[in-house]
Amino acid sequence: MVNQTLIQYFHWYYQDEQKLWQKVSSEAARLGDLGINRVWLPPAYKSTEGANSVGYDCYDLFDLGEFDQKNSIPTKYGTKEEYLQAVNALHDQDIMVVADIVFNHKAGADELEKVPVRRVNPDNRNEYTSDVFEIEAWTKFTFPGRKGQYSEFIWDKSCFTGIDWAEDLQESAIFSIQNEYGDGWEDVPSDENGNYDYLMYNDIEFRNPAVRDELKRWGEWYYETIKMGGFRLDAVKHIPVRYLNEWLDHMRNKFDRDFFIVAENWILDDVEKLKTYIDQTQGRMQLFDSTLHHNFFLAAAQGHEYDMTQIFENTLVQTNPELTVTFVDNHDSQPLQSLEGYVDFWFRPLAYSLILLREQGVPCIFYADLYGAKYVDKDKEGNDADVELIGMDGLPGMIKVRKTASYGFQRDYFDHPNCIGWTREGEDDMENSGLAVVLSNSEEGSKNMEIGKGHAGKVFIDSMGNRQEEVTINEEGWAEFFCAAGSVSVWIVKTA
Ligand code: CA
């Protein structure tokens, strides 16, 4: 079976002339040619800033750029019609659409309500700092621009567990909403700040059965609209596990389809917490390997002082490879974003080889590494900062090598702190498959590695173009492969 390769087809500051949905349509054939067969698209529904929202501040899940709401018909990425065209263009290339699902919160309510609340200590959400009192808060969603099309459901204060703004008091705080479904927070995976149910905006109350039903109805409507093959679940550590399991089971049973599911559970240095989540979801979801991203960040920052034999230590791809989506960076870790921790440029080719060319994990390519990105935003001190993310030169070639050559038995040579390598033996039914990778975070290096007797006498070249020599495999199926200083070489069969 051909390797699975995912791309995150946006970054936080995407604002090119061509709206994203149009760009997806025009690029679909190229993505298919590269070997990308799953595309994660950003949240497609109308959000509070209308045409300016990235999409995680979602307002109306049923408005895919169709209704005049939040001062715009299109979303940041275009109209519903353009979205459907983009989805069709991907499906024409046999590329799976992975839809971004934001279930933790809603934002931009239409009407105020009187809401009984208690203030909580932001650092310990289980500690209430007031008795119950009433505030006026934006908790009622009537979607006047949509006028009940697709769904007549009205969201109100009984649909939320918390909010962070009291309109009458003009006060910003974390308010726990007191409703008939429970007077405290829901049980969620993260116990940061005591209980991390509340992240932002209007936090959704899953103990309300009407909410649970409405989100299932929406899931059905969304699937029937775009026929996506997978979901990327946002911010799962703030959402009750039980409901996500229930929703996924509903979707799988309803449509008799084994969706590809990947969840964002942002944990940098404690792989045990990711494993606990896998237990709680009983393998229903794959997880992004934020622990591997963190190792990449450290390795890039520490240069030759980082021990490359440890690059997979304490990562999910090492402990649960079958449920891991690997990545280098994403829209949250890019510079000037909330979880900033961008892997330094020199290391990105090494990092990509470690996710694209090995057996373990489904790799997710970041948009900015394929196309580059330029933007301005405030830095932590509040000053304007210019950022340019340079696309990685060798990335398209490396993605293609994943598609054509990265198959078969894997042999690892993680035996030197600065220079590591591995080989893939290839498969008989994939012509010219098999490869050897050597990378160094210090001086140039080489490795004597076995690639298999089936390759005896074949000539290999570095597809990255970093080394010019040719390498011939000996009768025992071994050869010495090289890499230049601070770089990676990807050796593949030389073809005529
Ligand atoms: Ca929540």
Side-chain angles (χ1 to χ4, degrees):
M1 195 178 85
V2 70
N3 283 321
Q4 298 302 304
T5 307
L6 176 65
I7 186 169
Q8 174 181 7
Y9 208 78
F10 65 105
H11 67 95
W12 192 268
Y13 300 95
Y14 183 85
Q15 55 198 5
D16 292 2
E17 198 78 343
Q18 198 177 24
K19 295 277 192 189
L20 189 73
W21 301 150
Q22 293 172 13
K23 175 144 184 158
V24 171
S25 294
S26 61
E27 288 283 289
R30 179 190 176 213
L31 298 177
D33 179 57
L34 284 176
I36 289 167
N37 36 33
R38 298 174 184 192
V39 172
W40 159 24
L41 297 175
Y45 17 87
K46 190 66 57 68
S47 298
T48 55
E49 303 296 323
N52 296 313
S53 280
V54 175
Y56 293 101
D57 51 344
C58 44
Y59 163 68
D60 184 1
L61 298 176
F62 285 99
D63 182 357
L64 304 172
E66 182 177 9
F67 302 100
D68 189 359
Q69 301 191 106
K70 301 297 173 193
N71 300 315
S72 176
I73 291 174
T75 68
K76 174 179 178 180
Y77 308 112
T79 63
K80 180 181 181 183
E81 201 174 320
E82 290 166 328
Y83 181 50
L84 297 179
Q85 284 166 3
V87 167
N88 286 336
L90 293 172
H91 286 166
D92 285 347
Q93 300 291 330
D94 285 328
I95 296 173
M96 176 197 289
V97 172
V98 179
D100 208 323
I101 306 292
V102 183
F103 273 174
N104 182 60
H105 49 262
K106 291 178 79 66
D110 301 295
E111 294 177 24
L112 289 165
E113 291 182 296
K114 290 195 184 331
V115 184
V117 297
R118 287 189 289 176
R119 279 193 198 85
V120 303
N121 175 353
D123 301 320
N124 177 8
R125 311 294 176 75
N126 292 320
E127 183 192 324
Y128 297 94
T129 57
S130 78
D131 291 330
V132 178
F133 67 109
E134 208 168 66
I135 60 170
E136 274 198 290
W138 294 98
T139 46
K140 193 163 185 182
F141 292 74
T142 61
F143 313 112
R146 178 158 56 80
K147 300 185 177 66
Q149 197 169 339
Y150 306 131
S151 168
E152 294 183 343
F153 191 79
I154 304 289
W155 295 70
D156 66 16
K157 62 191 174 189
S158 71
C159 303
F160 302 108
T161 63
I163 193 162
D164 64 357
W165 177 249
E167 182 70 24
D168 51 344
L169 307 176
Q170 294 286 296
E171 180 188 345
S172 178
I174 298 179
F175 299 103
S176 164
I177 294 176
Q178 311 295 295
N179 64 30
E180 58 267 53
Y181 302 107
D183 54 7
W185 303 110
E186 291 192 79
D187 188 16
V188 297
S190 176
D191 59 3
E192 291 166 64
N193 306 312
N195 169 302
Y196 215 174
D197 184 10
Y198 188 84
L199 176 65
M200 54 174 65
Y201 303 115
N202 297 30
D203 190 81
I204 290 178
E205 169 71 87
F206 294 96
R207 288 169 296 202
N208 181 341
V211 165
R212 295 203 299 274
D213 288 348
E214 173 66 0
L215 292 175
K216 286 179 195 164
R217 271 197 305 275
W218 172 75
E220 293 174 19
W221 171 85
Y222 195 17
Y223 178 76
E224 283 159 358
T225 304
I226 73 159
K227 299 287 197 299
M228 72 288 275
F231 304 107
R232 179 263 183 191
L233 305 176
D234 184 60
V236 298
K237 71 182 181 184
H238 311 286
I239 300 174
V241 179
R242 196 168 36 168
Y243 184 68
L244 289 176
N245 288 345
E246 182 182 318
W247 190 83
L248 292 172
D249 290 347
H250 175 79
M251 293 295 287
R252 282 176 165 144
N253 293 334
K254 174 86 188 172
F255 297 108
D256 193 21
R257 185 162 178 173
D258 191 19
F259 292 100
F260 169 74
I261 315 292
V262 56
E264 179 220 19
N265 190 346
W266 192 262
I267 289 162
L268 293 183
D269 51 8
D270 189 351
V271 72
E272 291 306 317
K273 285 186 178 163
L274 294 177
K275 289 163 70 174
T276 299
Y277 196 73
I278 282 176
D279 290 341
Q280 290 169 336
T281 52
Q282 295 162 308
R284 287 178 178 83
M285 315 172 192
Q286 310 221 10
L287 293 180
F288 284 112
D289 195 352
S290 41
T291 52
L292 180 63
H293 153 78
H294 188 57
N295 281 4
F296 288 159
F297 175 75
L298 295 176
Q302 292 169 17
H304 68 272
E305 287 173 7
Y306 188 87
D307 180 354
M308 287 301 294
T309 66
Q310 302 297 301
I311 195 72
F312 288 117
E313 283 301 305
N314 300 312
T315 65
L316 194 67
V317 73
Q318 185 177 61
T319 61
N320 297 70
E322 70 291 348
L323 287 175
T324 299
V325 173
T326 51
F327 68 102
V328 179
D329 273 297
N330 66 21
H331 63 295
D332 286 324
S333 68
Q334 75 183 93
L336 308 182
Q337 271 308 297
S338 54
L339 305 170
E340 176 171 347
Y342 208 64
V343 175
D344 203 354
F345 293 109
W346 77 271
F347 194 78
R348 300 184 84 79
L350 285 66
Y352 269 105
S353 73
L354 288 159
I355 67 169
L356 287 171
L357 303 178
R358 294 176 57 76
E359 187 177 2
Q360 293 79 12
V362 172
C364 182
I365 295 150
F366 184 42
Y367 180 95
D369 286 308
L370 195 57
Y371 296 99
K374 273 178 97 158
Y375 55 91
V376 182
D377 199 358
K378 303 286 183 198
D379 61 18
K380 288 196 174 74
E381 285 74 45
N383 303 314
D384 277 338
D386 287 293
V387 173
E388 178 164 13
L389 304 180
I390 306 155
M392 185 186 132
D393 275 346
L395 184 58
M398 200 185 274
I399 299 168
K400 271 200 162 174
V401 168
R402 172 174 176 78
K403 172 187 172 183
T404 57
S406 190
Y407 297 95
F409 187 68
Q410 179 171 293
R411 295 179 176 86
D412 282 341
Y413 297 83
F414 284 43
D415 51 7
H416 186 284
N418 298 121
C419 184
I420 59 172
W422 66 94
T423 62
R424 301 291 305 272
E425 193 162 314
E427 278 169 9
D428 292 342
D429 57 353
M430 300 286 289
E431 198 185 355
N432 296 321
S433 63
L435 54 76
V437 178
V438 190
L439 59 87
S440 166
N441 66 359
S442 180
E443 297 162 6
E444 70 174 322
S446 70
K447 282 235 176 288
N448 198 27
M449 301 193 292
E450 183 178 9
I451 191 169
K453 280 185 182 170
H455 293 284
K458 287 187 196 167
V459 174
F460 277 62
I461 54 168
D462 175 16
S463 66
M464 300 295 289
N466 293 326
R467 298 292 298 205
Q468 303 309 317
E469 61 264 75
E470 299 188 341
V471 166
T472 305
I473 313 300
N474 72 16
E475 283 182 8
E476 299 303 314
W478 288 69
E480 185 168 19
F481 299 93
F482 305 89
C483 73
S487 81
V488 56
S489 287
V490 178
W491 298 87
I492 59 171
V493 176
K494 181 184 180 185
T495 51

